[in-house]
């Protein structure tokens, strides 16, 4: 949605794999990645407002239990580019 992009790198499946689960989620979800470098996760609401920012390194559980029900955009930024995923929160 509103990720600031200076350049876009296309990822092939061999380079970087990112999975977000469970989806739908009750608020906490896992970002599973094979990346070995630090990444930044930003969660955006439907209005494009950043509601959560966290640095991760490898597979990480994100505690977003304070989020309201809805659809959120998860933007994962690394030194190789940006990957966007959607997560649905149902309570």
């Amino acid at each position: 949605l509103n990720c600031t992009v200076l350049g876009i790198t296309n990822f092939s499946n061999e380079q970087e794999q990112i999975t977000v689960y469970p989806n739908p989620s009750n608020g906490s979800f896992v970002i599973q990645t094979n990346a070995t470098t630090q990444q930044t996760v930003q969660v955006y609401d439907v209005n494009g407002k950043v509601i959560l920012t966290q640095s991760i390194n490898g597979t990480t559980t994100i505690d977003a239990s304070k989020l309201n029900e809805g659809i959120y955009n998860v933007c994962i930024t690394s030194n190789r580019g940006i990957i966007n995923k959607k997560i649905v929160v149902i309570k």
Side-chain angles (χ1 to χ4, degrees), residues 25 27 51 64-72 88-91:
S25 167
I51 53 172
S65 57
K66 295 181 181 179
L67 296 180
N68 294 323
E69 286 190 345
I71 299 172
Y72 295 88
V88 177
V89 175
I90 298 175
K91 297 191 177 182

Side-chain angles (χ1 to χ4, degrees), residues 1-3 43-51 73:
L1 279 168
N2 288 344
C3 291
V43 178
Y44 293 85
D45 65 12
V46 293
N47 297 316
K49 179 181 175 188
V50 177
I51 53 172
N73 187 53

Side-chain angles (χ1 to χ4, degrees), residues 3-21:
C3 291
T4 302
V5 180
L6 299 177
I8 297 175
T9 302
N10 291 326
F11 293 112
S12 70
N13 288 338
E14 298 82 37
Q15 288 181 323
E16 192 148 352
Q17 296 177 355
I18 293 181
T19 305
V20 178
Y21 66 89

Side-chain angles (χ1 to χ4, degrees), residues 14-61:
E14 298 82 37
Q15 288 181 323
E16 192 148 352
Q17 296 177 355
I18 293 181
T19 305
V20 178
Y21 66 89
N23 196 4
S25 167
N26 64 359
S28 293
F29 56 92
V30 175
I31 297 176
Q32 182 176 353
T33 175
N34 64 351
T36 57
T37 59
Q38 183 172 333
Q39 298 171 302
T40 301
V41 173
Q42 291 182 301
V43 178
Y44 293 85
D45 65 12
V46 293
N47 297 316
K49 179 181 175 188
V50 177
I51 53 172
L52 185 145
T53 300
Q54 183 173 331
S55 292
I56 66 170
N57 195 347
T59 299
T60 304
T61 299

